Amino acid sequence: MPATVTQVVKQFQQDWTHQLEPEAIRRACHDLAYQWRQRVLDPVVTMQLFFVQILHGNTACTHLRHLTQWAVTASAYCQARMRLPLRVFQELRRAVSDHLPHEALEEGRWFGHRTFWVDGSSFSMPDTPALHDHFGQPGGQQPGCGFPVAHLMALFHAGTGMVLDVLAAPLRTHDLSQVVALHPALQPGDVLVADRGFCSYAHSALLVQGGVHVVFRVHQKLLVDFTPGRPQVRPMHANRKGPQGKPRSRWRATLGACDQRVEWLKPLDGPDWMDEAQFAQLSGDLTVRELRYQVQRKGFRVQTITLVTTLVHAELYSVEALSELYFARWGSETNLAHVKTTMGLDVVKCKTVDGVLKELIGFALIYNLVRLVMGQAARRQHVDIDRISFIDAARWLAAARADEPLPPLVVNPHRPYRYEPRVRKRRPKQYPLMQNARQQLRMSLANNRDTD
């Protein structure tokens, strides 16, 4: 078998990559009391084949024997991967995450803070009854005419772009009900940057309780008024409708034009995703800073952005600095595009729930290895990591030998405010969309008669 990806990246001397080496895989299996027979496709070989498959764009199982020179059939490999418990993949992901903070996550601090992005997305999978029942599919589709879709959430480190954790849930899962599972990866003093879907009193107070700062875009239903001394609405139960046109925060101080310090008042009712005991432990008032700024850049759809943050000291954290920090959050969208489009997570291939979750963890592990290569190339070529071509780093990692030094990688042009229309130039084939089940369509074809 050619050099494995862990053998290739060993030259970079990173502690967390040791968690993917053969001995670490065996140790994870032993710790979970997983036993296996001595065979060609043992846990180590199976996991390494899985990494090779993902690194080559989630290629077909039948392609692996050509890539690795192992005389194994696609059926044998699939069975070996199914035998390997999901808990082993989760243990490897946990071990990698535990070692990341000691190595890479100190890079790219913002005003002394580690910064992280959290964002949600989705991915598709084969149409099997098990996946359909667990994940569901978009509405408006006839039975047998669509594919199950999972809700994806990822936590990225802003400095390196590495992913600390990924979660998959049924399609109709709100971001706030899932994001709490990512909180253990954060430490006191960290800054979490996210869009308006993550902005709420309960979520912000829960993070502040753990010493984590927030920079969120204000939710569209939250009224923000910068009038000094203006009145506010008292907290009310969710089933009661209070006065309209008044904010639900108490004004405290004006820090500048469209910049103020307020107190968010604790609602009387907690959200559905938080139990009553946990909600009762949250503080009664939450001191935050609300600010608004204009976006005057060509091609940007949004022209006014309102942020809320727990970084309340205006003399330390200016509006310009916070606006640049939130603008950098778009990097999470780019990272998700790398995982979904470049690597192939957009449509996974496993046909069981555990298989899909294994595949997701595998993508996250390989993605971090590619980011490691990008970081090494960025330091050697004296450029920012985001300018290193992701696909060029992935291609080198897929083709490199064990002792092959890292060559200079492709450096993308610096285009921070580039804008392009979201359109496709190449037209798809003019086939109609599937509106009926495949069996019904086959029967219609079978009943057709040639009239010539």
Side-chain angles (χ1 to χ4, degrees):
M1 182 177 180
T4 63
V5 290
T6 52
Q7 290 174 333
V8 174
V9 300
K10 188 180 294 186
Q11 60 179 292
F12 303 138
Q13 299 179 356
Q14 298 286 319
D15 287 346
W16 66 269
T17 60
H18 299 331
Q19 309 306 313
L20 301 178
E21 294 182 356
E23 185 56 36
I25 296 174
R26 296 189 190 96
R27 184 170 59 250
C29 293
H30 286 304
D31 291 344
L32 297 172
Y34 173 63
Q35 300 180 351
W36 65 92
R37 296 188 309 174
Q38 293 299 326
R39 62 179 85 193
V40 174
L41 289 173
D42 63 3
V44 172
V45 175
T46 302
M47 190 71 70
Q48 296 292 356
L49 288 175
F50 201 9
F51 291 162
V52 171
Q53 181 183 15
I54 293 176
L55 192 54
H56 286 80
N58 202 18
T59 187
C61 298
T62 53
H63 189 202
L64 289 178
R65 63 189 181 92
H66 302 298
L67 291 172
T68 63
Q69 307 302 316
W70 275 93
V72 295
T73 64
S75 176
Y77 164 66
C78 290
Q79 293 178 48
R81 197 171 63 181
M82 290 181 64
R83 286 194 301 266
L84 203 56
L86 174 62
R87 295 176 297 135
V88 174
F89 288 80
Q90 294 171 336
E91 177 63 20
L92 291 176
R93 182 202 54 76
R94 184 200 60 78
V96 168
S97 296
D98 289 347
H99 285 76
L100 277 177
H102 304 291
E103 295 294 334
L105 301 188
E106 298 301 320
E107 299 182 12
R109 284 179 174 260
W110 179 82
F111 286 88
H113 300 280
R114 303 190 315 168
T115 55
F116 297 87
W117 305 321
V118 63
D119 206 353
S121 187
S122 61
F123 62 94
S124 183
M125 61 199 70
D127 187 15
T128 66
L131 296 179
H132 184 275
D133 293 342
H134 184 82
F135 292 106
Q137 70 179 40
Q141 296 178 343
Q142 297 295 327
C145 298
F147 293 94
V149 177
H151 181 267
L152 169 68
M153 184 169 292
L155 178 66
F156 295 100
H157 176 242
T160 61
M162 289 189 174
V163 59
L164 270 71
D165 202 356
V166 287
L167 301 173
L171 175 61
R172 292 174 179 82
T173 302
H174 195 278
D175 289 336
L176 286 176
S177 63
Q178 198 179 12
V179 70
V180 179
L182 301 177
H183 288 182
L186 303 174
Q187 298 178 2
D190 292 345
V191 177
L192 182 64
V193 186
D195 60 20
R196 58 177 47 161
F198 298 89
C199 179
S200 73
Y201 166 86
H203 185 213
S204 302
L206 194 61
L207 288 167
V208 170
Q209 195 176 63
V212 179
H213 295 288
V214 305
V215 177
F216 296 154
R217 188 178 179 188
V218 171
H219 194 274
Q220 62 270 20
K221 291 186 178 180
L222 185 64
L223 181 62
V224 176
D225 186 353
F226 291 97
T227 304
R230 43 79 174 156
Q232 74 278 344
V233 177
R234 292 183 300 174
M236 305 182 68
H237 289 285
N239 57 359
R240 295 189 58 185
K241 195 170 184 179
Q244 300 295 311
K246 294 183 180 180
R248 288 169 170 77
S249 61
R250 183 184 296 116
W251 178 87
R252 283 306 183 193
T254 296
L255 305 177
C258 295
D259 189 0
Q260 64 183 7
R261 186 168 64 248
V262 300
E263 287 182 356
W264 277 7
L265 306 180
K266 183 177 182 179
L268 299 181
D269 302 314
D272 295 336
W273 52 269
M274 180 180 290
D275 58 55
E276 295 183 2
Q278 190 177 26
F279 183 74
Q281 294 177 356
L282 298 180
S283 60
D285 298 328
L286 183 62
T287 300
V288 298
R289 178 182 172 192
E290 297 173 339
L291 56 102
R292 180 175 294 158
Y293 58 92
Q294 301 296 319
V295 179
Q296 298 178 348
R297 294 192 179 115
K298 292 182 179 180
F300 282 54
R301 183 182 72 252
V302 178
Q303 298 182 351
T304 302
I305 293 181
T306 305
L307 300 180
V308 59
T309 177
T310 54
L311 302 169
V312 297
H313 300 291
E315 62 277 10
L316 295 178
Y317 311 101
S318 65
V319 174
E320 292 76 15
L322 288 169
S323 66
E324 289 296 328
L325 177 64
Y326 186 76
F327 172 73
R329 185 204 67 85
W330 190 256
S332 63
E333 304 285 354
T334 304
N335 294 343
L336 286 171
H338 287 324
V339 181
K340 294 177 58 178
T341 305
T342 307
M343 296 180 64
L345 178 65
D346 196 27
V347 180
V348 299
K349 297 182 177 180
C350 291
K351 299 182 179 181
T352 64
V353 175
D354 281 1
V356 168
L357 299 180
K358 294 175 190 177
E359 209 166 345
L360 177 61
I361 295 174
F363 270 97
L365 296 176
I366 294 300
Y367 168 84
N368 278 347
L369 290 177
V370 177
R371 296 297 304 196
L372 171 62
V373 173
M374 293 174 62
Q376 295 292 326
R379 280 188 286 272
R380 299 180 186 186
Q381 297 176 232
H382 307 289
V383 296
D384 292 336
I385 186 173
D386 290 334
R387 293 190 59 191
I388 298 295
S389 169
F390 182 92
I391 193 169
D392 196 41
R395 286 169 177 168
W396 176 83
L397 186 59
R401 300 299 175 181
D403 298 326
E404 182 178 341
L406 176 64
L409 298 181
V410 172
V411 177
N412 294 321
H414 183 57
R415 298 172 292 185
Y417 304 121
R418 180 176 60 126
Y419 55 91
E420 296 290 344
R422 287 190 171 185
V423 296
R424 294 188 302 173
K425 182 177 181 180
R426 193 175 300 278
R427 271 61 172 171
K429 300 294 183 180
Q430 297 298 318
Y431 290 111
L433 295 176
M434 190 174 182
Q435 303 291 344
N436 297 294
R438 186 175 300 275
Q439 184 177 4
Q440 183 177 349
L441 293 175
R442 283 176 174 170
M443 291 178 61
S444 299
L445 289 174
N447 292 332
N448 287 342
R449 295 290 184 269
D450 190 358
T451 57
D452 292 339

